[in-house]
């Protein structure tokens, strides 16, 4: 990944050690592919920030209301890797989508972004409440990227569904 800082830096409220580097993740915000890449980045001494889109928007709105938007934007611009989970889980209002655009636009060609989403790119206009804004966001994201599309059953439900099947078969 090419990151090099004098020491590993962390973000978030919880430690997970991996290959000598550390990344802090919130238990409810773990997405397997994004987390794997983030852990690899953290072991390369990169500053990684992991947050759900909903939390990021909430933080940006609060900072904007308190007159601290520039400072809060900086907290999303500093990391070498920004992992944004659950894009599309909640639909955004136009003002919220504009805040997301500011983060994406300011990070463009300056820092890596990993996004996890259960929405196709064609659905992002609905997610961001505006087709033109969604296109501008996608334009910046897709310019220098690798898209990893994972289709199949939910990894979160896999073990639970297998257990339910075993219980049903046993009864």
């Amino acid at each position: 990944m090419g990151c090099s800082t004098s020491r590993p830096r962390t973000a978030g409220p919880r430690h997970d050690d991996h290959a000598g580097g550390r990344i802090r993740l919130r238990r409810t915000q773990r997405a397997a592919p994004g987390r794997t890449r983030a852990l690899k980045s953290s072991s390369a001494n990169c500053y990684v920030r992991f947050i759900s889109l909903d939390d990021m928007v909430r933080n940006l709105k609060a900072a904007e209301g308190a007159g601290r938007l520039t400072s809060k934007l900086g907290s999303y611009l500093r990391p070498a890797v920004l992992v944004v989970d659950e894009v599309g889980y909640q639909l955004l209002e136009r003002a919220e989508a504009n805040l997301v655009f500011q983060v994406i636009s300011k990070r463009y060609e300056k820092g890596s972004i990993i996004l996890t989403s259960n929405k196709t790119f064609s659905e992002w206009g609905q997610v961001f409440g505006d087709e033109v804004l969604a296109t501008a966001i996608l334009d910046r994201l897709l310019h220098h990227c690798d898209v990893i599309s994972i289709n199949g059953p939910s990894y979160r439900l896999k073990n639970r569904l297998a257990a339910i099947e075993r219980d049903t078969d046993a009864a």
Side-chain angles (χ1 to χ4, degrees):
M1 181 139 226
C3 295
S4 60
T5 59
S6 58
R7 62 181 172 75
R9 298 192 59 197
T10 56
R14 185 173 175 267
H15 290 291
D16 282 331
D17 287 327
H18 177 76
R22 293 188 307 175
I23 181 171
R24 295 181 192 204
L25 301 173
R26 289 188 180 139
R27 184 168 296 183
T28 60
Q29 296 176 339
R30 292 183 180 178
R35 181 171 186 246
T36 299
R37 287 180 181 244
L39 287 172
K40 287 179 181 179
S41 299
S42 70
S43 66
N45 293 331
C46 291
Y47 178 19
V48 177
R49 175 94 187 247
F50 191 102
I51 191 164
S52 72
L53 182 67
D54 188 48
D55 286 343
M56 184 174 82
V57 167
R58 190 178 310 111
N59 293 341
L60 289 168
K61 283 174 60 176
E64 185 176 41
R68 296 181 290 107
L69 182 59
T70 302
S71 173
K72 183 50 78 175
L73 281 170
S75 73
Y76 297 114
L77 303 178
R78 277 189 293 281
V81 180
L82 176 65
V83 182
V84 182
D85 192 19
E86 300 173 348
V87 174
Y89 181 71
Q90 297 280 343
L91 299 181
L92 300 177
E93 297 173 6
R94 171 73 185 195
E96 295 169 334
N98 279 327
L99 292 170
V100 174
F101 174 77
Q102 287 185 54
V103 172
I104 302 297
S105 179
K106 291 178 186 313
R107 285 192 65 85
Y108 177 60
E109 294 190 331
K110 295 179 183 159
S112 297
I113 301 173
I114 298 173
L115 298 171
T116 64
S117 179
N118 63 352
K119 302 290 185 186
T120 63
F121 295 138
S122 62
E123 296 173 290
W124 280 35
Q126 295 169 333
V127 171
F128 290 98
D130 183 313
E131 292 289 334
V132 174
L133 186 58
T135 301
I137 289 171
L138 285 169
D139 183 55
R140 285 156 180 80
L141 290 174
L142 297 175
H143 183 215
H144 302 291
C145 82
D146 294 312
V147 176
I148 301 170
S149 181
I150 301 171
N151 296 311
S154 169
Y155 75 90
R156 292 179 180 105
L157 295 178
K158 183 176 76 170
N159 294 332
R160 183 66 185 135
L161 291 175
I164 290 170
E165 272 185 32
R166 283 193 304 272
D167 291 346
T168 304
D169 292 342

